[in-house]
Amino acid sequence: MSVAAQVRASVHARRSLASGLTTIQEEHPIEFAVEVDDCTQVWSDRRTFSAAGFDEVDFSTLGVAVVKLLFIKNLSATHQIAMSAGWTGSQFSIFRQDVTSWNFSPMINLGSLTLRGYPIRERGSLLLSCPNSDGFGTTSGGSILRIGGTSGQQYEIYVMGT
């Protein structure tokens, strides 16, 4: 089985500048697309954080050894979430509490627990796409992706890989 997708992102920003009776419109568009066509696995879900304040996605149970596309959408309008950061730049690794975290990782405070990870702000999203590379291996650094958030908060996740 082969899974293929086209990943597209598009932004069309407009800025209006008023000076007296004159208004100037500036256009700032950007669009890009990449093909992700060498995948064999695809998985997506809408998930809710438990009272523990985090959710774990185990790629080994999904049959994903290499992540080629990862998309996470924070569905909350009031709370941010955070995704773990791998220590070598090519591995997924679980969140660690602040006292044992890697110093280069961004830090996020989720109420009573401070974690290190990549922040995804309210209604924000993260897209990681590796169409022409080896992707991110889940077997050498750990197959668990931990995402931290507030109890009851929801997010969506989409994964493609091999």
Side-chain angles (χ1 to χ4, degrees):
M1 174 177 89
S2 178
V3 179
Q6 185 179 63
V7 179
R8 301 179 64 83
S10 175
V11 177
H12 190 90
R14 288 180 291 282
R15 182 169 77 164
S16 296
L17 303 169
S19 177
L21 298 175
T22 305
T23 300
I24 299 171
Q25 296 282 335
E26 291 182 0
E27 304 281 330
H28 299 275
I30 184 171
E31 182 174 329
F32 63 89
V34 293
E35 301 292 329
V36 181
D37 58 4
D38 58 348
C39 297
T40 57
Q41 302 292 329
V42 62
W43 176 80
S44 63
D45 199 8
R46 176 178 282 208
R47 299 172 71 94
T48 303
F49 293 110
S50 68
F54 64 88
D55 185 36
E56 292 184 339
V57 177
D58 188 345
F59 291 115
S60 67
T61 64
L62 303 175
V64 177
V66 174
V67 173
K68 301 284 280 188
L69 178 102
L70 175 66
F71 178 73
I72 298 174
K73 171 74 174 152
N74 183 354
L75 299 178
S76 174
T78 56
H79 298 291
Q80 56 192 334
I81 64 177
M83 183 190 79
S84 65
W87 66 274
T88 68
S90 64
Q91 300 171 354
F92 287 103
S93 183
I94 63 170
F95 266 122
R96 297 173 188 262
Q97 290 186 347
D98 186 40
V99 294
T100 60
S101 294
W102 309 292
N103 291 330
F104 70 87
S105 298
M107 193 162 77
I108 207 84
N109 186 334
L110 300 168
S112 63
L113 181 61
T114 299
L115 301 172
R116 292 192 184 270
Y118 188 85
I120 303 173
R121 300 297 299 221
E122 300 83 354
R123 297 273 186 221
S125 58
L126 171 96
L127 173 64
L128 174 68
S129 174
C130 312
N132 298 322
S133 71
D134 294 335
F136 291 88
T138 65
T139 54
S140 57
S143 63
I144 296 175
L145 172 66
R146 186 178 278 188
I147 301 170
T150 305
S151 176
Q153 180 181 354
Q154 290 189 324
Y155 72 97
E156 290 180 344
I157 183 170
Y158 191 91
V159 178
M160 287 179 65
T162 58

